[in-house]
Amino acid sequence: MFNNLVFAESASRPTILVFGDSLSAAYRIPQAQGWVSLLAQRVKDNQLPYEVANASVSGETTAGGLSRLPAALRQFKPSIVVIELGANDGLRGLPLDAMKNNLEKMILASQQANAQVVLLGMFIPPNYGPKYTNGFKAVYLDLSEKYKTPFIPFFLNGISGHSDLVLEDGLHPNVNAQRKILENVWPTLKPLLISNINHR
């Protein structure tokens, strides 16, 4: 079911599950150079006792993610779930209420499975108008505050809009951007990993 898998050394270790779309699925770049693979290497280099699993699927919406998540939680039994979804909802102009409801159910399902959630936020281009654009951004902030999740407002910060860091489509991060994505995520994720170790 999941063909984008990246593992650290031991399957007996607690799992970080990255659950996203093409932005985390190493779209059109070598899998080993995607930011999730780089995360697995960073975890190993820091001698943190985790494995990393990537269940990201290109083109995924929050509705699709919600339908897939229960199986992923059963399969990987993650300690931490990094949710990176919503960009495709925004690009398709899908209703924000539905997007928020889907993300909320994913957060709750993850928490009910005893996993901590890290929420990766997205911005969308302004061509949908300020009401939709601002509402889209607010979805992530509202949910992170409601469920007290660690939160990165825009995990493509410093990448989006930089032609040297995106593919020809102007949207997807290229190989050169992947380490920057990791650096955007790592300062929020690392303290959580260390805290989990100390409380085990």
Side-chain angles (χ1 to χ4, degrees):
M1 182 176 182
F2 305 111
N3 55 11
N4 290 320
L5 300 181
V6 182
F7 293 103
E9 288 188 333
S10 171
S12 65
R13 296 179 177 185
T15 298
I16 305 162
L17 175 64
V18 180
F19 197 76
D21 52 32
S22 58
L23 299 173
S24 297
Y27 176 76
R28 289 178 54 194
I29 64 173
Q31 188 72 39
Q33 296 182 44
W35 80 265
V36 181
S37 293
L38 298 178
L39 170 63
Q41 186 61 49
R42 178 71 60 88
V43 166
K44 182 178 179 181
D45 290 345
N46 280 263
Q47 299 182 326
L48 295 168
Y50 292 88
E51 68 175 21
V52 177
N54 190 359
S56 302
V57 173
S58 293
E60 191 71 287
T61 61
T62 57
L66 179 60
S67 70
R68 287 194 304 117
L69 183 60
L73 293 174
R74 287 193 300 270
Q75 179 175 350
F76 297 109
K77 299 177 176 59
S79 297
I80 295 169
V81 178
V82 180
I83 297 177
E84 179 275 297
L85 285 169
N88 289 310
D89 295 63
L91 291 175
R92 298 176 191 182
L94 298 179
L96 295 179
D97 286 347
M99 172 183 154
K100 186 173 185 178
N101 185 54
N102 293 334
L103 286 170
E104 184 167 28
K105 287 180 177 177
M106 282 188 271
I107 292 170
L108 285 169
S110 299
Q111 291 179 340
Q112 288 164 3
N114 298 313
Q116 291 181 279
V117 173
V118 177
L119 190 60
L120 303 190
M122 273 296 297
F123 295 168
I124 57 170
N127 48 300
Y128 290 93
K131 182 178 180 181
Y132 189 89
T133 302
N134 292 332
F136 182 90
K137 195 186 326 182
V139 164
Y140 297 98
L141 179 60
D142 291 348
L143 290 174
S144 69
E145 289 180 346
K146 182 174 181 179
Y147 293 101
K148 297 178 170 56
T149 70
F151 172 52
I152 299 164
F154 184 39
F155 87 109
L156 294 185
N157 187 41
I159 297 160
S160 182
H162 293 263
S163 59
D164 57 326
L165 296 176
V166 294
L167 298 174
E168 294 81 1
D169 60 15
L171 295 173
H172 291 93
N174 63 21
V175 168
N176 297 329
Q178 300 300 311
R179 192 162 296 280
K180 175 66 176 171
I181 295 175
L182 177 59
E183 297 307 333
N184 287 343
V185 174
W186 186 246
T188 298
L189 186 57
K190 182 181 180 182
L192 190 61
L193 302 182
I194 293 172
S195 175
N196 273 6
I197 294 170
N198 292 338
H199 288 89
R200 288 181 67 191

